[in-house]
Amino acid sequence: YIKQKRAGFRPRGEVLITTGAYLLANFLPLLAIAGALVYRRHRDRMEGDIGYARARAANRIAKKRLRRASRLADAQNAERFFGEIRLAIMAFVADKLNISHHGLTLEELGEKLSAAGFSEIEVTRCRELIQRADFVRYSPGTINEKDISDSLTLAEEIIVKLQEAKIA
């Protein structure tokens, strides 16, 4: 029998392709593939570009050295403490520039910091900290706990400002 009248069909619920679960199930794999491609590109660059890898790891390594310095922050370990602070700052800048920290001089450090937008006062404070570290490490003398804590605070401030600056 062929019905001549309309049967009055009406949708019972939402259309399947507009539901959140359907959209999530279809686009989540695409997002996962895109994320995997971005990660692969990053990993390949880390393996192939030494300068990029050093610059990326500089923050983590500097924080690690400052933590080590804070554990050494007493008068008995003053030489090692100041050695860690000096290494944290000099190696951070050297890693960002992809040069050896052994060859980085105070004059070059000052030039690089000035070029990165540091004020003359900040550059002077950084240079004085490095000079104080060298003085304590290589000449016998007395150093008190206040000098050590002030130096640690200053080194942490300098590292934070270095992380924010564009060193190139």
Side-chain angles (χ1 to χ4, degrees), residues 67-131:
R67 279 194 304 273
R68 192 178 312 143
S70 69
R71 287 194 300 267
L72 296 169
D74 60 18
Q76 289 87 18
N77 296 318
E79 294 86 17
R80 291 177 56 205
F81 168 77
F82 279 104
E84 285 296 327
I85 284 182
R86 183 185 195 290
L87 185 61
I89 294 170
M90 297 294 273
F92 182 87
V93 173
D95 286 345
K96 287 290 190 178
L97 297 172
N98 194 24
I99 60 175
S100 172
H101 71 274
H102 297 291
L104 186 63
T105 63
L106 270 177
E107 291 76 27
E108 284 180 301
L109 178 69
E111 291 171 8
K112 299 300 181 185
L113 295 181
S114 295
F118 277 63
S119 69
E120 195 59 40
I121 295 169
E122 293 170 332
V123 172
T124 303
R125 289 177 67 200
C126 183
R127 290 176 78 175
E128 287 174 355
L129 178 62
I130 299 295
Q131 288 172 341

Side-chain angles (χ1 to χ4, degrees), residues 16-163:
L16 180 64
I17 61 171
T18 62
T19 62
Y22 178 83
L23 293 173
L24 183 67
N26 283 298
F27 289 115
L28 195 59
L30 295 176
L31 290 175
I33 290 170
L37 290 174
V38 167
Y39 175 73
R40 172 80 184 242
R41 196 171 111 206
H42 168 73
R43 194 182 75 207
D44 289 344
R45 186 163 182 206
M46 289 288 281
E47 290 173 357
D49 188 356
I50 303 280
Y52 176 75
R54 285 181 69 189
R56 292 286 302 216
N59 293 340
R60 181 177 38 83
I61 293 170
K63 287 179 184 178
K64 180 179 164 185
R65 287 184 175 133
L66 285 179
R67 279 194 304 273
R68 192 178 312 143
S70 69
R71 287 194 300 267
L72 296 169
D74 60 18
Q76 289 87 18
N77 296 318
E79 294 86 17
R80 291 177 56 205
F81 168 77
F82 279 104
E84 285 296 327
I85 284 182
R86 183 185 195 290
L87 185 61
I89 294 170
M90 297 294 273
F92 182 87
V93 173
D95 286 345
K96 287 290 190 178
L97 297 172
N98 194 24
I99 60 175
S100 172
H101 71 274
H102 297 291
L104 186 63
T105 63
L106 270 177
E107 291 76 27
E108 284 180 301
L109 178 69
E111 291 171 8
K112 299 300 181 185
L113 295 181
S114 295
F118 277 63
S119 69
E120 195 59 40
I121 295 169
E122 293 170 332
V123 172
T124 303
R125 289 177 67 200
C126 183
R127 290 176 78 175
E128 287 174 355
L129 178 62
I130 299 295
Q131 288 172 341
R132 184 183 321 148
D134 288 341
F135 180 76
V136 170
R137 288 175 59 214
Y138 298 116
S139 66
T142 59
I143 190 87
N144 60 25
E145 298 291 329
K146 184 176 180 342
D147 289 338
I148 289 174
S149 66
D150 290 346
S151 297
L152 181 62
T153 304
L154 180 58
E156 289 171 348
E157 290 173 10
I158 290 170
I159 292 292
V160 167
K161 288 184 181 186
L162 286 171
Q163 290 171 347

